[in-house]
Amino acid sequence: MLTSNFLVPLVITAVSMPYFIRKLTENNIVAKDVYKKGLPTVADRGGTAILLIAMLSLSMNSLFFKFTSTNYVAMIVIALFGLFGILDDMINIGRASKFLIMYYCSYPLIQYATHTAVTLPSVGDLELGIIYLQLIVPTYVLVASNLVNMHSGYNGLSSGLAIIVLISLIIKSVLINDIENIISVVSVTGATLGFYFYERYPARIFWGNVGSLTVGASIGAIIVIQGFIISGFIMLIPHTVNFLMYVYWKIKKYPAVKFGKIREDGTLDVPNNLTLKWVLPYYYRLNEKQATYAMFLLTSVFCVAGILLPGRL
């Protein structure tokens, strides 16, 4: 069941992505690839395919396997975030409205979060009950989706990091022999991996807000469903540090700069070291691919640490 729900969306996405790239390009749904010479345009909002194919895969596999209701509710929440991402790609909703709406998008998960205790080292299980359900569940999904959305900028960076975190959370679920409620997230993971083959350097498609919010919500959903509050936090430490650097940037009121430039030798010319992906290129001459792999390695270290924590820690 786990293998089928991973491989089916992976294969469908990998095979169908050229079609999506062609259609998006024909309809002028494109974005500039700022770290390439000549600023070529690349198909955008490809994350829509991740959402659609993951939902299709879950439906197809339901003919052969019986899933718990938690999986369908999780997919509804993931779809709500994805739909909001489509809207966010089209119009500027505003940060405050965005956070408020997305907070309530995760409410359907509350009654299906089966683990309401947080396991703390040297303390044991701390039962949070209604606090966990009403505060931690929606907040965690909201925060995870936005952390994924913010930690981006290079070809395949955001999607690659998300895959590392998702696979780590799935491995941890397998290790504690609890997989029946994460099948929908497994489907999203398979679709995201199939998509990554086309977004990695040199990218042929970007996933847009619809992709980052869909996959980010999947990360938040599996964490709260499985009760991986501590290990999930550890796995997302690089994403969190990236966010805190952004907060520092805003507090100091430094000029807003979204992208760097590329030098003649192909290395990155970044304006500062105030976002995590820019730290190494600021001090060393790295190209986009090298800077991306450095971020993959960093997140992988924290993911291994999260996996090695015992039980539901």
Side-chain angles (χ1 to χ4, degrees):
M1 179 171 65
L2 198 69
T3 303
S4 174
N5 280 276
F6 179 79
L7 291 179
V8 169
L10 191 162
V11 172
I12 293 176
T13 306
V15 170
S16 64
M17 198 50 59
Y19 169 81
F20 281 99
I21 292 172
R22 186 174 69 253
K23 284 298 180 181
L24 289 168
T25 304
E26 288 175 356
N27 288 276
N28 200 34
I29 303 176
V30 296
K32 290 183 178 179
D33 193 343
V34 298
Y35 293 112
K36 303 293 187 302
K37 292 181 180 179
L39 302 178
T41 56
V42 176
D44 197 17
R45 305 180 194 175
T48 307
I50 296 176
L51 177 59
L52 292 175
I53 293 171
M55 295 177 69
L56 174 63
S57 173
L58 191 68
S59 298
M60 290 172 59
N61 279 284
S62 67
L63 296 173
F64 308 99
F65 306 103
K66 186 175 181 180
F67 302 134
T68 63
S69 57
T70 304
N71 287 290
Y72 297 106
V73 173
M75 186 57 80
I76 289 172
V77 170
I78 293 167
L80 285 173
F81 274 79
L83 290 172
F84 189 87
I86 294 174
L87 183 63
D88 200 30
D89 278 325
M90 295 170 60
I91 61 175
N92 183 14
I93 299 173
R95 193 170 297 276
S97 300
K98 177 179 177 179
F99 286 161
L100 182 63
I101 295 171
M102 286 198 297
Y103 181 85
Y104 290 107
C105 281
S106 57
Y107 257 48
L109 271 180
I110 288 177
Q111 59 181 319
Y112 291 92
T114 56
H115 306 282
T116 58
V118 176
T119 306
L120 301 175
S122 304
V123 176
D125 290 344
L126 177 62
E127 179 59 49
L128 297 178
I130 193 67
I131 296 176
Y132 184 93
L133 296 175
Q134 293 289 337
L135 183 62
I136 293 181
V137 170
T139 300
Y140 224 116
V141 179
L142 168 65
V143 169
S145 63
N146 280 277
L147 289 178
V148 171
N149 189 34
M150 292 181 67
H151 199 7
S152 59
Y154 301 147
N155 289 178
L157 174 61
S158 189
S159 57
L161 292 173
I163 290 167
I164 293 170
V165 175
L166 281 168
I167 289 178
S168 299
L169 291 165
I170 292 170
I171 290 173
K172 191 170 181 67
S173 298
V174 172
L175 291 175
I176 65 171
N177 196 29
D178 186 0
I179 62 169
E180 65 176 6
N181 292 321
I182 66 166
I183 302 302
S184 57
V185 176
V186 171
S187 295
V188 174
T189 305
T192 305
L193 181 56
F195 175 83
Y196 171 76
F197 295 143
Y198 295 86
E199 198 190 31
R200 63 183 175 176
Y201 185 95
R204 295 173 58 189
I205 188 170
F206 297 141
W207 70 356
N209 289 327
V210 54
S212 59
L213 292 181
T214 294
V215 180
S218 301
I219 292 174
I222 187 174
I223 288 173
V224 298
I225 289 171
Q226 297 295 81
F228 294 153
I229 302 302
I230 304 300
S231 53
F233 172 78
I234 291 173
M235 293 177 187
L236 289 171
I237 282 178
H239 288 77
T240 305
V241 170
N242 182 69
F243 170 73
L244 293 176
M245 293 173 77
Y246 169 80
V247 172
Y248 176 79
W249 188 340
K250 287 297 183 181
I251 291 175
K252 289 295 186 178
K253 297 182 179 179
Y254 292 127
V257 183
K258 193 170 183 180
F259 299 106
K261 299 177 181 178
I262 186 171
R263 299 186 181 97
E264 287 297 321
D265 62 358
T267 58
L268 299 171
D269 182 13
V270 298
N272 57 52
N273 61 352
L274 297 177
T275 185
L276 193 59
K277 65 179 179 289
W278 285 351
V279 172
L280 286 177
Y282 186 78
Y283 295 104
Y284 305 98
R285 281 185 172 260
L286 300 178
N287 59 37
E288 183 180 5
K289 196 173 184 179
Q290 292 170 331
T292 301
Y293 286 164
M295 293 296 97
F296 287 175
L297 178 61
L298 178 64
T299 291
S300 295
V301 170
F302 285 96
C303 284
V304 170
I307 292 172
L308 292 178
L309 285 177
R312 295 191 184 276
L313 271 178

